[in-house]
């Protein structure tokens, strides 16, 4: 079974530039998450999708972050404009509806904002 | 909202030593509890879970017991191996959406 795929693995940009991350979840997983993991901290939930609908985006900085999940499969997370404090690893995860809390994570996309 | 507190790290042990990593939580409602592990160069993966009080989760020689009275879920292993070197995260999930809340994580290094 293929795992959660993310790209790019690494990205370096200057502040005020934009960046987009892509995620392909495990086939059949209806629930998809984006987490932000700052160095030395645990992952923090940014947004949760159920199919292509948003379930929780209460911690997403909506003035600069956006995310979509068209057709309930792949998802993209965009940051525009980026700030220095956005430097982090962006993790995508997915799960089946029947296994709450049992997430499958991708390897993450490491963003460095200069 | 929920919060998870893990003991400060990093932790360095010799092979075959006994491991305990402390985790306490605060939660509204009745959470499920999890330990996730991140091996070097890999993504986070579920290590074990417990869904109700006094449940014991176990996997790969690791164990953790859901202690409701002390709101704790400490991770233990009787004899660690070099291959257990990783970052370990304690997490809770509550609510209709089962939002997963993570602790800060702790780095374990095991010396041969």
């Amino acid at each position: 079974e293929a795992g959660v795929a993310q790209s790019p693995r690494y990205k370096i940009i200057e502040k005020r530039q934009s960046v987009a991350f892509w995620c392909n979840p495990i086939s059949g997983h209806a629930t998809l998450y984006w987490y932000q993991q700052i160095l030395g901290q645990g992952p923090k939930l940014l947004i949760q999708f159920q199919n292509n609908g948003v379930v929780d985006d209460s911690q997403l900085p909506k003035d600069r972050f956006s995310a979509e999940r068209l057709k309930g499969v792949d998802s993209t997370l965009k940051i525009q404009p980026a700030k220095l404090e956005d430097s982090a690893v962006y993790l995508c995860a997915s799960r089946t509806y029947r296994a709450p809390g049992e997430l499958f994570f991708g390897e993450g996309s490491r963003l460095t904002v200069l | 909202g929920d919060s998870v507190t893990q003991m400060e790290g990093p932790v360095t042990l010799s092979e075959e030593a006994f491991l305990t990593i402390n985790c306490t939580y605060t939660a509204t409602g009745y959470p499920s509890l999890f330990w996730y592990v991140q091996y070097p160069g890999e993504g986070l993966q579920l290590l074990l879970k417990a869904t109700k009080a006094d449940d014991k989760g176990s996997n790969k020689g690791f164990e953790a017991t859901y202690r409701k009275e002390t709101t704790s879920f400490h991770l233990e292993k009787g004899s660690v191996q070099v291959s257990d070197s990783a970052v370990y995260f304690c997490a809770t999930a509550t609510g209709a959406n089962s939002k997963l809340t993570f602790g800060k994580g702790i780095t374990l290094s095991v010396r041969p």
Side-chain angles (χ1 to χ4, degrees):
Chain A
E1 177 182 75
V4 176
Q6 291 189 245
S7 68
R9 289 293 309 280
Y10 305 93
K11 188 75 176 178
I12 300 173
I13 62 173
E14 296 191 349
K15 60 183 178 183
R16 291 187 289 275
Q17 288 186 323
S18 62
V19 63
F21 302 111
W22 173 83
C23 172
N24 180 241
I26 291 173
S27 177
H29 282 192
T31 309
L32 183 146
Y33 306 79
W34 284 101
Y35 280 84
Q36 179 192 58
Q37 186 176 14
I38 293 173
L39 187 65
Q41 299 181 20
K44 182 185 86 171
L45 179 67
L46 292 176
I47 189 166
Q48 176 183 348
F49 292 94
Q50 180 70 25
N51 296 308
N52 60 347
V54 175
V55 171
D56 184 349
D57 63 356
S58 57
Q59 297 190 88
L60 186 74
K62 298 180 184 66
D63 58 333
R64 298 183 300 105
F65 285 65
S66 64
E68 61 182 7
R69 190 183 184 197
L70 299 177
K71 300 181 181 178
V73 182
D74 292 6
S75 178
T76 56
L77 176 70
K78 297 179 181 178
I79 308 173
Q80 182 179 8
K83 292 185 175 181
L84 297 177
E85 59 260 37
D86 298 332
S87 294
V89 177
Y90 291 87
L91 300 170
C92 180
S94 67
R95 69 168 174 87
T96 67
Y97 183 76
R98 291 183 297 276
E102 296 184 34
L103 275 57
F104 291 81
F105 283 84
E107 293 183 337
S109 295
R110 182 179 298 277
L111 173 65
T112 301
V113 182
L114 302 175
Chain B
D2 293 4
S3 67
V4 178
T5 302
Q6 293 186 231
M7 59 184 278
E8 292 292 324
V11 172
T12 302
L13 296 173
S14 297
E15 205 166 23
E16 299 183 2
F18 182 83
L19 169 71
T20 299
I21 300 177
N22 291 341
C23 171
T24 58
Y25 66 90
T26 60
T28 53
Y30 203 135
S32 294
L33 305 176
F34 304 84
W35 277 99
Y36 276 79
V37 60
Q38 188 168 31
Y39 297 105
E42 299 183 18
L44 271 164
Q45 56 186 274
L46 178 65
L47 179 60
L48 53 84
K49 69 171 186 177
T51 58
K52 61 182 187 296
D54 300 324
D55 265 5
K56 178 184 285 186
S58 61
N59 186 24
K60 299 183 180 181
F62 290 89
E63 294 182 338
T65 301
Y66 190 142
R67 299 291 187 197
K68 195 168 189 294
E69 64 277 11
T70 55
T71 61
S72 65
F73 193 53
H74 305 322
L75 183 68
E76 296 182 336
K77 187 173 185 181
S79 175
V80 294
Q81 305 300 311
V82 172
S83 57
D84 294 326
S85 298
V87 183
Y88 292 82
F89 294 90
C90 185
T92 66
T94 55
N97 299 326
S98 293
K99 175 180 174 180
L100 204 59
T101 300
F102 287 90
K104 292 177 64 173
I106 186 169
T107 300
L108 169 67
S109 298
V110 181
R111 299 184 299 241

